[in-house]
Amino acid sequence: MPRQSVALIGVDVLSSKGVLRAQTILLEDGRISKIGPGPDVSVPEHVKTLNLPNHTVIPGLVGMHDHTHMPGQTFMGASASRLWLASGVTTVQTAGSADFSSELALTEAIRAGDVAGPRIFPTAPYLTGPDGNGPMAKPKTPDEARQLVRDWSASGATWFKLYRHIQPHIAEAVIDEAHKLGRKVTGHLCSLTFSEAARLGIDSIEHGLISASDFIAEKTTGQCISTRSTLAGLEMDDPRIKLLIDLLVAKQVTLSSTLAIIESHFAHRPQADERSLVLLSETWREQYETRQHRLRQTGGQLPPSVLGKLMAFEVQFSKAGGRLVMGPDPGRHVLPGYGNQRGFELLVEAGFSVHEALEIATANGAEALGIGEEVGRIGEGYLADLVILEGDLSADPGVIRNVKLVIKGGELYSPAKLLAGLEGKFGPQ
């Protein structure tokens, strides 16, 4: 169906390559047809014009560790999809499903235009081992694992998620079968080291250094041991870190940064802001207050210095040529969309430039999903997935929160309208 033709006038365009000031972007039939300085772009009379001086345009964010569930809420449904879109997230990979059939239905409803939301790359239910979480799938044999991959692929799964207690022989079967079917595999690892997973051919690994069990001396094959004590004593110039990063890069393993949820473990860090708190259910708000009191009393389970190490690992990985992507891992007070924005801010704090952080949050994710030729960048011929921000993002990463208009595939969305009625919708009701 033809989209409305729109011209964005006088905008600053921010991409991984820099800033273009006072540009005109012409959108026709859902794509970017022309971009350039105002005098160079002819705008037809029938085109709707939006004059937007002092606004920054960026590609739609691509969330690579997003969920349609949070702990305590099995399926967030249209509430999550609206909040993603209102926050400038136009594409997500869900990194594990807690209600697979509902996630597939939401994906199709968005595709059909019945529900507002980002395009979703649905992930199958979690796959773990005998000691793993109760509700997750626990295939006992490689053949059983392969059959699950075939069945879930046929239903619509595009990715598969290995969870903390997965055993190596099961993981190997999942990865092999998924690749035969043109699907991809990611993992929140523990029983598998990053090195083992890379050699098995895993496509992506979630959370970064905090879940790397490679440095635990007493670990045996297939055993899941907490990394907390190891991280406190690990130095970032340890030669083993470089060896691990070199292996991940050589094996073309993508890493997902989830700094927004990781930050919530540290008492010295900012926690929920008011815009997130008003969206929490009363039960979830009470649990948040209880958790914050406990965090202040105990100081958390990790020393403050560990956060800097986790950030440094992501910078080192990226500088070595690794593909880093980003997602919030919704949970606690970290919500869909808002968590993606916070993740962007934290990438800048970690040491990435605004341009580099934007590439991580957009183009890198699109490439990992196999849609990098259409999504994740601003250029002629690309899909019109754009976010209009009030202010200069190149000067202030906090401008990522000032979403004034979202465009997905040429369709215009008002963040205010998408957010209306979401108060209290997140968390157990």
Side-chain angles (χ1 to χ4, degrees):
M1 183 176 69
R3 303 286 196 252
Q4 182 181 22
S5 296
V6 177
L8 310 178
I9 309 294
V11 294
D12 294 337
V13 178
L14 181 63
S15 70
S16 58
K17 296 180 180 179
V19 185
L20 299 173
R21 303 289 184 186
Q23 300 289 294
T24 291
I25 306 176
L26 183 60
L27 311 179
E28 297 181 289
D29 200 20
R31 292 185 180 269
I32 301 170
S33 63
K34 188 70 175 176
I35 179 171
D40 296 345
V41 179
S42 177
V43 179
E45 290 184 4
H46 71 277
V47 171
K48 177 180 180 179
T49 59
L50 299 176
N51 292 300
L52 296 164
N54 304 313
H55 285 73
T56 302
V57 177
I58 63 171
L61 300 179
V62 179
M64 289 296 291
H65 191 125
D66 291 67
H67 292 305
T68 54
H69 68 276
M70 293 199 307
Q73 190 174 15
T74 305
F75 185 63
M76 295 182 284
S79 296
S81 71
R82 287 164 55 191
L83 185 53
W84 271 319
L85 201 57
S87 306
V89 181
T90 55
T91 303
V92 299
Q93 188 264 101
T94 58
S97 172
D99 185 342
F100 187 42
S101 60
S102 294
E103 184 167 300
L104 291 174
L106 177 64
T107 301
E108 182 53 39
I110 293 171
R111 185 181 295 122
D114 298 329
V115 174
R119 65 183 58 81
I120 295 177
F121 284 72
T123 307
Y126 294 77
L127 291 149
T128 189
D131 297 326
N133 297 37
M136 297 181 182
K138 302 173 183 176
K140 295 181 177 61
T141 67
D143 285 344
E144 183 182 348
R146 289 178 182 275
Q147 188 61 53
L148 284 175
V149 171
R150 290 192 290 269
D151 291 345
W152 288 337
S153 293
S155 296
T158 58
W159 283 66
F160 293 85
K161 172 85 170 280
L162 307 178
Y163 205 61
R164 299 179 71 246
H165 292 85
I166 195 77
Q167 293 302 293
H169 66 298
I170 301 297
E172 183 177 21
V174 170
I175 293 168
D176 181 65
E177 195 67 27
H179 288 173
K180 286 180 180 178
L181 297 171
R183 306 298 194 264
K184 293 185 178 181
V185 181
T186 189
H188 176 167
L189 304 181
C190 179
S191 55
L192 280 180
T193 66
F194 283 21
S195 298
E196 290 169 337
R199 292 190 175 98
L200 288 176
I202 199 167
D203 298 285
S204 187
I205 297 175
E206 308 299 319
H207 303 301
L209 186 63
I210 197 169
S211 60
S213 55
D214 299 67
F215 310 105
I216 303 174
E218 64 272 25
K219 182 186 180 305
T220 59
T221 301
Q223 182 185 25
C224 179
I225 300 178
S226 171
T227 63
R228 295 181 189 278
S229 59
T230 305
L231 285 172
L234 188 65
E235 298 301 328
M236 296 312 296
D237 59 357
D238 190 314
R240 295 175 298 168
I241 289 181
K242 183 180 185 305
L243 288 174
L244 174 58
I245 288 175
D246 288 346
L247 175 64
L248 295 174
V249 173
K251 294 294 185 179
Q252 298 184 329
V253 178
T254 297
L255 288 189
S256 290
S257 172
T258 59
L259 291 174
I261 193 66
I262 288 172
E263 181 184 44
S264 70
H265 293 279
F266 293 89
H268 72 293
R269 298 295 303 183
Q271 300 294 314
D273 57 20
E274 189 57 36
R275 64 180 189 156
S276 295
L277 290 176
V278 299
L279 300 185
L280 301 184
S281 67
E282 183 177 351
T283 299
W284 211 239
R285 178 72 176 261
E286 290 173 356
Q287 292 184 21
Y288 167 78
E289 297 294 350
T290 299
R291 186 170 58 251
Q292 291 306 303
H293 175 75
R294 184 169 60 248
L295 190 61
R296 289 190 294 269
Q297 293 297 312
T298 64
Q301 296 179 306
L302 292 168
S305 61
V306 168
L307 182 59
K309 296 177 183 181
L310 304 180
M311 289 178 165
F313 182 80
E314 295 185 359
V315 173
Q316 290 180 23
F317 171 76
S318 181
K319 300 300 184 188
R323 181 166 62 197
L324 187 67
V325 298
M326 185 269 285
D329 189 12
R332 302 181 174 223
H333 57 270
V334 179
L335 299 181
Y338 288 169
N340 300 73
Q341 294 172 351
R342 183 58 183 157
F344 171 85
E345 294 173 335
L346 289 168
L347 287 171
V348 176
E349 182 181 336
F352 293 102
S353 70
V354 170
H355 308 290
E356 290 169 336
L358 185 64
E359 185 164 22
I360 292 165
T362 57
N364 285 9
E367 290 170 1
L369 293 172
I371 57 173
E373 294 183 356
E374 288 205 315
V375 170
R377 298 186 186 279
I378 298 177
E380 294 176 5
Y382 277 78
L383 284 174
D385 279 17
L386 303 171
V387 186
I388 292 87
L389 306 168
E390 185 176 5
D392 185 356
L393 184 64
S394 67
D396 177 8
V399 167
I400 195 72
R401 302 182 182 213
N402 301 342
V403 180
K404 297 304 176 184
L405 183 68
V406 178
I407 304 173
K408 178 200 160 196
E411 293 282 356
L412 278 62
Y413 295 90
S414 161
K417 291 181 179 178
L418 291 168
L419 292 171
L422 292 185
E423 296 84 358
K425 295 293 186 183
F426 293 86
Q429 301 300 306

